Amino acid sequence: MSEQVLAADGRPLKSSLNRALRRQKMRALMLIAPLLLFIMLTFVIPIGQMLFRSVENQIVGNTIPKTVAALAAWDADQNEAPDETVFQALFYDMFVAAEAKEHTKLGSRLNYEQAGISSLFRKSGRSLSDIGELYQDAFEDLNPAWGDGAFWFDLMNDNGGAIASGLMIQQRDRLKRLTSADISLDVDFALRGDIAQALPLTAQQYASWALYTANVDNDVIAEETPWEAVYAALADDLRDPEAGARLAAYDGPGADSLLAALAIVPDIAAPSYKDAFAEIDSGWLEPRVWQTIQTYSPPFTPGYFLNSIDLEQTPNGIEWRPENQQIYLTLFWRTLVMSLTITGSCILLGYPVAWMLANLPARTANLLMILVLLPFWTSLLVRTSAWKVLLQDQGVINSLLVWIGLVADDNRLSLINNATGTIIAMTHILLPFMILPLYSVLKTIPPSYLRAAKSLGATNWTAFWRVYFPQSIPGIGAGSILCFILSIGYYITPEIVGGTRGVFISNRIAYHISTSLNWGLAAALGAILLAAVLLLYWAYDRIVGIDNVKLGG
């Protein structure tokens, strides 16, 4: 039986070694922890948020939840608007959303899928109170107490009876999702259980109003008159065929007033919710509007990614967008082709310069290197604006070509607001990123290799192509990756000199982020661009090998 080897401290040697290794790993982890945290905060988390935003679509369900539930039973294939139940749900959903000023955000979201819906929501949000005012006036004419906030508070508030806490929690959660605000149940109000059974719809609307009034408006519930939607809900409850039986069993505060209101409700001349919305805007009767709402009601959607490749999600499935709206595939293809063209131009122009820097005397090479680095000392915006001046029809380049007779004055070259201008300007901007890695690699190639090849009978071209060029490929690879990755994501230079025919997909991403505010589509476009770059990087690694890329040495 072998003896156990012990360390100097008397512990088993194996345990001591494992302990030492754990300490080394912990020290190494602590050393890289700041960098790891920086990468997580500035790269991983933003990328994750972008990917999530490209599929997130919770705004529809959070803004009009009752409508989404009611619309689930509607057949999108029928060529008519939904029934009264859906419009009733839309009224109550929209009323709360309009009070919170969230309905316009939903309109903007759906407007990305169908033009005109945004104005439909804005217009309706301003007119919803008119529907409820008909009932409010009728109830107040019957009994002025219906216009008193204290009367409503006594009617709905619990005074030792059964508390409808479940309904209050439900309305709190609904307001939280709608407003993203901190909605508290501690508002000196507790909904009565018996009134919630007698008037279920009224209880919901009043609870929602009370929580919003106390948490968002910071007002006292008992001193404020409820929303017009509460009066409409009361009328709907009293119209229910079972309302009489429920009220007969209710003997709490305001029982007599409710029985009196029950008698006059059938005589109130008010349009149906469907007719009321149609009167606000006839667009609500268009089946296409409801098809769009139904299609984009799930909390997650592939719609942004479909739009990014000129497709759209319809009730009939995935279809191509109208031909005059198909722009993104063209932009992706243009971005790829022009980025490769710019990278190729940088190789053609940068290789001779890098070769000169690597083979000239150190003093001369250092002077030329300063000239290569000089553009970095000038603002990118200034350099791009200078190219705009140089490339225009009456600019320096065209004027010089006309002066030396290469171009007729009436046939000047079109070098601006097109792909040509973008390629010229971006080649100039990215050229140093090709020269520097190329120079660092070419500097390490011994000149004796070329002399040896020539001494063996090779011509200058053969010596260069068979001996010198293969050793410079790692520098070309490094410069190509830098130039291609930078060019595919550029948007300032194409925006200034590219016009409509020289812009990249990144320009469209910037537009959706800063102008149209369609962040979901911008995130989807960015995700596709990221996937394309990673795919090309993988292909480059398979063909050339990323291990062959060098920055010198």
Side-chain angles (χ1 to χ4, degrees):
M1 184 174 177
S2 60
E3 295 184 2
Q4 191 175 29
V5 180
L6 302 179
D9 58 358
R11 296 180 179 180
L13 181 60
K14 184 176 182 181
S15 299
S16 297
L17 288 175
N18 290 336
R19 185 179 181 185
L21 288 174
R22 284 196 299 270
R23 287 179 177 176
Q24 288 181 353
K25 291 179 180 179
M26 287 300 298
R27 283 196 293 267
L29 180 62
M30 294 300 294
L31 287 173
I32 67 170
L35 177 60
L36 182 62
L37 180 62
F38 176 79
I39 293 176
M40 288 291 295
L41 293 176
T42 62
F43 184 76
V44 177
I45 293 178
I47 292 294
Q49 290 178 334
M50 179 191 71
L51 294 175
F52 176 74
R53 189 178 286 274
S54 65
V55 296
E56 186 268 336
N57 190 52
Q58 299 179 30
I59 186 174
V60 182
N62 289 344
T63 307
I64 51 173
K66 293 179 180 295
T67 308
V68 169
L71 198 59
W74 177 66
D75 184 4
D77 294 331
Q78 63 185 12
N79 193 26
E80 61 180 23
D83 58 17
E84 178 72 6
T85 304
V86 175
F87 280 94
Q88 182 189 40
L90 178 65
F91 169 74
Y92 292 115
D93 283 337
M94 279 275 288
F95 199 101
V96 180
E99 290 293 334
K101 296 180 174 57
E102 297 290 330
H103 66 298
T104 56
K105 297 179 182 178
L106 174 59
S108 298
R109 165 66 187 98
L110 295 175
N111 201 73
Y112 300 148
E113 313 302 334
Q114 182 184 347
I117 293 186
S118 179
S119 60
L120 197 64
F121 274 80
R122 282 199 305 270
K123 184 178 180 181
S124 301
R126 295 191 298 264
S127 305
L128 291 176
S129 58
D130 296 340
I131 301 175
E133 283 178 355
L134 293 172
Y135 300 107
Q136 182 178 3
D137 294 341
F139 288 129
E140 289 180 0
D141 290 341
L142 171 67
N143 185 353
W146 285 110
D148 184 8
F151 173 81
W152 274 100
F153 186 79
D154 292 337
L155 176 66
M156 309 300 292
N157 187 44
D158 177 78
N159 287 314
I163 303 175
S165 58
L167 193 149
M168 290 287 290
I169 293 173
Q170 182 187 51
Q171 296 306 310
R172 179 202 61 184
D173 295 342
R174 184 258 195 276
L175 288 175
K176 274 187 175 181
R177 292 191 297 269
L178 176 66
T179 63
S180 299
D182 185 17
I183 305 296
S184 172
L185 292 175
D186 186 15
V187 293
D188 296 327
F189 169 76
L191 186 65
R192 294 175 58 89
D194 52 359
I195 199 68
Q197 292 179 352
L199 304 170
L201 189 55
T202 308
Q204 289 180 14
Q205 297 305 310
Y206 189 88
S208 181
W209 167 80
L211 290 172
Y212 188 90
T213 299
N215 286 279
V216 181
D217 294 339
N218 296 317
D219 292 328
V220 179
I221 300 173
E223 297 177 357
E224 300 295 324
T225 304
W227 289 332
E228 292 85 350
V230 178
Y231 291 93
L234 177 59
D236 286 340
D237 276 333
L238 296 178
R239 282 200 187 97
D240 191 313
E242 299 179 0
R246 292 200 300 264
L247 289 179
Y250 173 73
D251 58 357
D256 293 338
S257 298
L258 288 173
L259 289 174
L262 178 64
I264 69 158
V265 164
D267 299 328
I268 299 177
S272 67
Y273 290 105
K274 187 172 184 178
D275 293 338
F277 273 96
E279 185 176 347
I280 294 173
D281 195 309
S282 60
W284 286 113
L285 299 181
E286 293 290 335
R288 176 63 175 166
V289 171
W290 295 100
Q291 290 171 352
T292 302
I293 295 174
Q294 187 183 61
T295 301
Y296 291 93
S297 59
F300 299 99
T301 176
Y304 291 123
F305 279 99
L306 293 175
N307 290 339
S308 298
I309 54 175
D310 296 328
L311 297 171
E312 63 179 340
Q313 189 177 9
T314 69
N316 299 323
I318 298 174
E319 299 178 353
W320 287 102
R321 298 188 71 86
E323 189 173 350
N324 60 349
Q325 298 179 19
Q326 297 179 15
I327 61 172
Y328 293 115
L329 287 178
T330 301
L331 285 176
F332 274 117
W333 177 249
R334 178 192 296 168
T335 300
L336 177 60
V337 171
M338 290 180 63
S339 296
L340 292 173
T341 303
I342 292 165
T343 302
S345 301
C346 288
I347 294 173
L348 293 177
L349 295 175
Y351 199 100
V353 176
W355 182 87
M356 289 176 58
L357 293 173
N359 291 277
L360 286 174
R363 183 181 181 89
T364 305
N366 290 337
L367 179 60
L368 292 178
M369 180 61 72
I370 292 175
L371 297 179
V372 171
L373 297 176
L374 190 61
F376 289 127
W377 303 347
T378 308
S379 167
L380 172 63
L381 188 60
V382 172
R383 281 182 282 161
T384 304
S385 300
W387 276 110
K388 190 175 181 68
V389 174
L390 292 171
L391 296 174
Q392 60 184 318
D393 291 345
Q394 301 299 322
V396 176
I397 295 177
N398 264 308
S399 297
L400 179 62
L401 293 175
V402 171
W403 180 68
I404 62 179
L406 291 179
V407 175
D409 188 35
D410 58 349
N411 192 29
R412 292 175 177 249
L413 299 179
S414 179
L415 302 176
I416 196 70
N417 296 329
N418 52 31
T420 303
T422 300
I423 292 173
I424 293 174
M426 288 188 61
T427 299
H428 165 256
I429 290 170
L430 298 178
L431 190 57
F433 295 97
M434 178 63 71
I435 294 175
L436 293 177
L438 262 175
Y439 165 73
S440 66
V441 172
L442 297 182
K443 189 68 176 176
T444 64
I445 301 176
S448 58
Y449 287 3
L450 286 177
R451 292 195 296 268
K454 291 178 183 179
S455 68
L456 295 174
T459 63
N460 288 336
W461 171 253
T462 302
F464 168 78
W465 187 250
R466 299 288 297 275
V467 177
Y468 194 85
F469 182 78
Q471 298 181 77
S472 67
I473 287 179
I476 295 176
S480 297
I481 289 178
L482 283 174
C483 290
F484 180 79
I485 297 299
L486 289 172
S487 63
I488 204 171
Y490 249 63
Y491 72 94
I492 295 178
T493 302
E495 184 70 26
I496 294 176
V497 301
T500 58
R501 291 176 293 175
V503 296
F504 286 5
I505 192 65
S506 50
N507 295 99
R508 204 64 186 173
I509 295 174
Y511 166 78
H512 286 307
I513 289 176
S514 60
T515 303
S516 73
L517 303 181
N518 190 351
W519 291 3
L521 182 56
L525 291 171
I528 293 176
L529 186 61
L530 174 63
V533 171
L534 293 177
L535 180 62
L536 290 171
Y537 184 84
W538 174 83
Y540 181 89
D541 182 42
R542 298 287 294 180
I543 298 172
V544 178
I546 199 65
D547 293 337
N548 295 324
V549 174
K550 293 183 181 179
L551 292 175

